[in-house]
């Protein structure tokens, strides 16, 4: 089996959880467990492993006198933690740490409604249920909205959503300059990643499916020239043995062995090396694992620093997260085989063990070189210090190009406050020597690229596709694909007759970036229109031959069946309304807080049920899709003080919203309404207020509307199809 194939197998096979959030609330790798969860319905797992204790006591990573506390913490259930989506104008207290285990949270009758709240708000993208230590790596990346970011091993996606939030720090900017490319080697896990990312409705995220250790070099078009894409920020959260997750992944207790770390070390180093190659000068890369083992942690960092020959520097990031308790990285460690044999240095390893133990697993022998690496700048989080899981983080900055690369762009200052961005220049990569002959396992082969030759050859190769704005999947002859074959990405041409009616109907601003609209079909009617940022459009158009894109963009318009009967065949989609709204100048209805309550709790309220101001606006509009906008009134501090934008449909005599169930519940909670449930038969969301009013929703002829299918706003036929429901 070749090195690449072996690496892919190691990434795809379970090694314990690959990252702490992989087993979040009964979900592992996208597969739901039964109601019993980890701790019910299975034989009790004894939380003992003598080899584990012997190994870590010998390495001395736990301070003297704290061993019993350390082991006691590992045997306790992990407390549930959550993060509030940061860019949706919430207070600063964005992360919360409970004293409840996940099992208690799911099973306790007293907490049932709180658990339902967590599930609902998670689904609508307003919170993420994520382990506390898992939140650290994105914070240490210091992301700004203009940064180009690569998340190398992204699934299931909790850290990816953090990165997206940082890009959208200013909600008034619908298209930040930066973007996130989120990669994972496992095709199935990529779709879990898509689900996580879609909750945040960003046009600046792309999910791709590659082996991280050989993720392709991408190019972008800069003023007509083909230039290599280097990233300002890279998250390298690698697959690991996961012994820091024993508190929630209790299978690790019986499965733990040093062999896991020995098998993963080479893969981790190759991924980290590939990340360093694609990092811009001045850029920052965070390497992290949920393992406490120096073989997966300091050994990888030391080997990477050594082969970089000064191109990388380990940053002291200890002051960047005040209040975090951490242990400094170690500079000396030993290697132990599966059967308990110890080796202090590479020279002691017999030849028969050379396939299992590599020289990069040991600390550098030169004391001066070791001291210059400053491995103490690494951060190791121990479970008993702050009631968390175990974790390891190292922050690296790129000072110059890697020794086997000729030159590359620098991250330059944008303004006086020294914000960073990439200004690429033409680059020529040459194959060099990232390590000596004894370290072939950890080398990453780099491609030879001549900018001029690449520009000419690829233009000839892709000219026909690019004329039509079609970005198809990579040809099978050039890249072996795994999993499903994805539909192509087809950008809407400037002269497409589909767009002018949309532009006129919604009075779109001249600044609207219509070139960023795309569909996922080359034949037949375009049913959904998606939108990406300008920078991701550039990436898509120039790299369809290199990468397998699983998903990108957000849905902004949906076609109505028989929509030609109206002035516009496309209605607005709630998923993309916050991106689209700044460009819309027509069909906007200003509603009061009481109007919002009615629209979200009644399926098809008649015009007369709305406030006089909203009713007068509605009556002046033709049938079709509308924007419902609530603006807070500072003179009424008791009312909701944040704006709301909803998609609606103006029918003949009534109006309705097209908002997913969980998002409806979210807005109702924000307005102080206690959500009691949803009457499926009547299609009405019941609140404490609606129960008090006991107002029954009836059509004019006394018939009841049919129920809206939970979570699917497109499935509700409405009380009067001719009056209120968009054509299907």
């Amino acid at each position: 089996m070749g090195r690449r194939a072996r690496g892919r197998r190691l990434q795809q096979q379970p090694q314990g959880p690959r990252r702490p959030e992989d087993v979040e609330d009964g979900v592992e790798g996208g597969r739901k467990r039964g109601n019993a969860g980890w701790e019910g319905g299975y034989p009790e797992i004894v939380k003992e492993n003598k080899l584990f204790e012997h190994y870590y006591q010998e390495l001395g990573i736990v301070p003297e006198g704290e061993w019993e506390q350390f082991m006691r913490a590992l045997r306790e259930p992990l407390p549930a933690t959550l993060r509030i989506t940061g860019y949706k104008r919430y207070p600063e207290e964005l992360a919360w740490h409970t004293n409840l285990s996940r099992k208690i949270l799911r099973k306790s009758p007293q907490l049932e409604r709180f658990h339902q709240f967590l599930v609902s708000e998670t689904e609508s993208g307003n919170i993420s249920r994520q382990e506390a230590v898992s939140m650290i790596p994105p914070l240490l990346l210091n992301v700004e909205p203009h940064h180009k970011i690569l998340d190398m091993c992204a699934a299931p996606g909790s850290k990816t959503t953090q990165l997206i939030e940082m890009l959208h720090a200013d909600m008034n900017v619908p298209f930040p300059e930066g973007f996130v490319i989120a990669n994972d080697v496992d095709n199935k896990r990529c779709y879990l990643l898509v689900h996580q990312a879609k909750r945040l409705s960003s046009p600046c995220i792309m999910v791709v499916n590659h082996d991280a250790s050989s993720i392709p070099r991408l190019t972008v078009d800069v003023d007509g020239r083909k230039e290599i894409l280097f990233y300002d920020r890279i998250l390298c959260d690698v697959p690991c043995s996961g012994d820091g997750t024993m508190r929630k992944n209790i299978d690790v207790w019986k499965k733990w062995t040093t062999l896991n770390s020995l098998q993963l070390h080479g893969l981790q180093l190759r991924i980290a090396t590939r990340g360093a190659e694609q990092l811009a000068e001045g850029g920052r890369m965070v390497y992290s694992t949920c393992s406490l083992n120096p073989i997966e942690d300091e050994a990888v960092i030391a080997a990477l620093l050594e082969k970089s020959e000064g191109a990388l520097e380990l940053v002291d990031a200890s002051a960047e997260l005040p209040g975090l308790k951490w242990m400094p990285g170690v500079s000396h460690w030993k290697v132990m085989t599966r059967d308990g044999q110890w080796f202090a240095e590479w020279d002691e390893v017999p030849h028969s063990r050379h396939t299992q133990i590599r020289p990069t697993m040991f600390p550098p022998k030169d004391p001066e070189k070791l001291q210059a690496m400053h491995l103490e700048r690494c951060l190791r989080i121990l479970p008993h210090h702050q009631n968390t899981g175990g974790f390891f983080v190292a922050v690296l900055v790129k000072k110059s190009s890697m020794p086997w690369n000729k030159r590359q762009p620098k991250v330059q200052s944008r303004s006086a406050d020294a914000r960073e961005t990439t200004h690429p220049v033409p680059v020529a990569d040459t194959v060099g020597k990232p390590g000596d002959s004894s370290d072939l396992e950890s080398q990453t082969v780099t491609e030879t690229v001549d900018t001029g030759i690449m520009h000419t050859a690829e233009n000839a190769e892709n000219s026909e596709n690019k004329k039509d704005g079609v970005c198809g999947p990579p040809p099978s002859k050039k890249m072996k694909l795994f999993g499903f074959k994805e539909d192509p990405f087809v950008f809407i041409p400037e002269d497409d007759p589909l767009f002018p009616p949309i532009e006129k109907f919604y009075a779109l601003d001249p600044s609207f970036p219509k070139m960023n609209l795309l569909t996922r079909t080359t034949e037949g009617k375009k049913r959904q229109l998606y939108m990406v940022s300008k920078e991701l459009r550039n990436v898509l158009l120039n790299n369809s031959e290199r990468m397998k894109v699983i998903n990108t963009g957000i849905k902004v318009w949906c076609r109505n069946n028989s929509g030609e009967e109206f002035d516009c065949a496309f209605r607005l989609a709630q998923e993309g309304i916050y991106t689209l709204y700044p460009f819309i100048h027509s069909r906007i209805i200003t509603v009061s807080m009481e109007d919002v309550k009615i629209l979200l709790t009644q399926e098809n309220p008649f015009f007369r049920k709305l406030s006089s101001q909203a009713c007068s606006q509605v009556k002046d509009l033709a049938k079709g899709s509308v924007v419902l906008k609530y603006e807070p009134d500072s003179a009424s501090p008791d009312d909701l003080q944040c704006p709301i934008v909803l998609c609606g449909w103006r029918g003949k005599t009534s109006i309705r919203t097209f908002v997913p169930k969980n998002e409806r519940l979210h807005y109702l909670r924000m307005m102080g309404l206690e959500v009691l449930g949803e009457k499926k038969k009547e299609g009405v969301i019941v609140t404490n207020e609606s129960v008090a009013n006991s107002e029954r929703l009836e059509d004019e002829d006394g018939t009841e509307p049919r129920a809206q299918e939970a979570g699917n706003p497109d499935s509700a036929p409405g009380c009067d199809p001719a009056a209120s429901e968009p054509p299907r």
Side-chain angles (χ1 to χ4, degrees), residues 454-721:
M454 176 181 67
H455 175 79
T456 305
E458 292 192 355
N459 274 356
E461 194 173 283
N462 300 330
S463 58
E464 290 306 313
N465 275 350
K466 287 188 67 177
K467 282 179 185 176
D468 298 328
V470 178
C471 307
S476 57
K477 289 183 180 179
K478 292 197 172 185
M479 181 188 300
K480 187 174 182 182
L481 301 180
F482 299 91
F484 303 104
K485 182 179 180 181
E486 294 297 323
D487 293 328
F489 294 85
V490 186
F491 284 94
I492 307 297
E494 282 193 75
D495 58 352
D496 195 314
L498 169 148
F499 186 70
I502 297 176
E503 187 175 33
K504 181 180 178 182
F505 191 72
Y506 297 101
L508 296 180
D509 193 89
S511 65
F512 178 77
K514 60 183 178 182
M515 292 296 291
N516 298 355
L517 285 175
L518 58 86
T519 64
R520 298 296 301 269
T521 180
T522 54
E523 299 177 356
K525 282 187 177 181
K526 301 174 178 66
R527 302 203 59 82
Q528 318 280 354
L529 297 184
Y530 301 87
M531 201 159 199
V532 294
S533 64
K534 181 179 73 173
E535 289 73 16
L536 278 187
R537 180 182 189 275
N538 193 344
V539 173
L540 275 168
L541 285 175
N542 288 284
N543 297 279
S544 62
E545 300 297 311
R546 285 189 186 83
M547 62 181 183
K548 181 182 179 185
V549 180
I550 299 297
N551 197 277
T552 191
I554 54 170
K555 182 165 60 178
V556 287
W557 278 294
C558 307
R559 179 183 288 275
N560 300 311
N561 289 342
S562 306
E564 288 75 7
E565 298 173 11
F566 299 86
D567 294 333
C568 179
F570 287 85
R571 67 171 176 83
L572 298 164
Q574 183 69 25
E575 179 183 325
I577 191 61
Y578 283 96
T579 297
L580 210 53
Y581 174 74
F583 301 100
I584 297 176
H585 296 306
S586 178
R587 304 191 64 78
I588 300 174
I589 301 170
T590 303
V591 292
S592 67
M593 196 169 86
E594 290 304 314
D595 291 331
V596 175
K597 292 177 183 178
I598 291 170
L599 289 164
L600 293 178
T601 57
Q602 300 182 16
E603 191 178 342
N604 286 290
F606 296 105
F607 298 157
R608 58 180 167 78
K609 292 191 175 183
L610 302 178
S611 63
S612 57
Q613 181 188 11
C615 190
S616 62
Q617 295 173 71
V618 171
K619 287 181 177 178
D620 292 336
L621 293 177
K623 288 193 291 184
S625 190
V626 294
V627 177
L628 302 162
K629 177 65 183 292
Y630 165 76
E631 285 286 359
D633 182 0
S634 58
S636 303
D638 292 338
D639 288 348
L640 181 64
Q641 291 299 304
C642 68
I644 294 177
V645 183
L646 306 175
C647 291
W649 182 269
R650 193 271 196 209
K652 184 179 178 181
T653 59
S654 61
I655 194 165
R656 64 164 300 172
T657 54
F658 277 86
V659 181
K661 173 189 171 184
N662 288 318
E663 202 164 334
R664 288 181 179 226
L665 299 179
H666 167 72
Y667 289 128
L668 291 170
R669 290 190 190 101
M670 288 177 66
M671 291 183 289
L673 297 184
E674 184 181 4
V675 181
L676 304 179
E678 185 174 14
K679 286 187 178 180
K680 294 184 178 179
K681 185 176 180 181
E682 296 184 2
V684 181
I685 293 180
V686 181
T687 66
N688 54 350
E689 189 171 285
S690 61
V691 168
N693 294 337
S694 64
E695 180 180 28
R696 182 188 177 96
L697 176 64
E698 291 184 305
D699 199 354
E700 290 179 336
D701 61 2
T703 58
E704 295 180 357
R706 286 167 288 175
Q708 176 175 338
E709 184 177 319
N712 183 2
D714 294 352
S715 63
C719 60
D720 181 359

Side-chain angles (χ1 to χ4, degrees), residues 301-313:
I301 296 300
L304 183 61
L305 290 170
E306 186 168 21
K307 68 161 62 179
S308 78
E309 299 178 9
L312 297 174
E313 179 184 326

Side-chain angles (χ1 to χ4, degrees), residues 73-74 83 88 190 267 272 320 323 442 505 568 619 621 635 648 652:
L74 283 178
R83 190 185 78 254
K88 294 193 175 180
C190 281
L267 172 65
E320 295 183 22
S442 63
F505 191 72
C568 179
K619 287 181 177 178
L621 293 177
K652 184 179 178 181

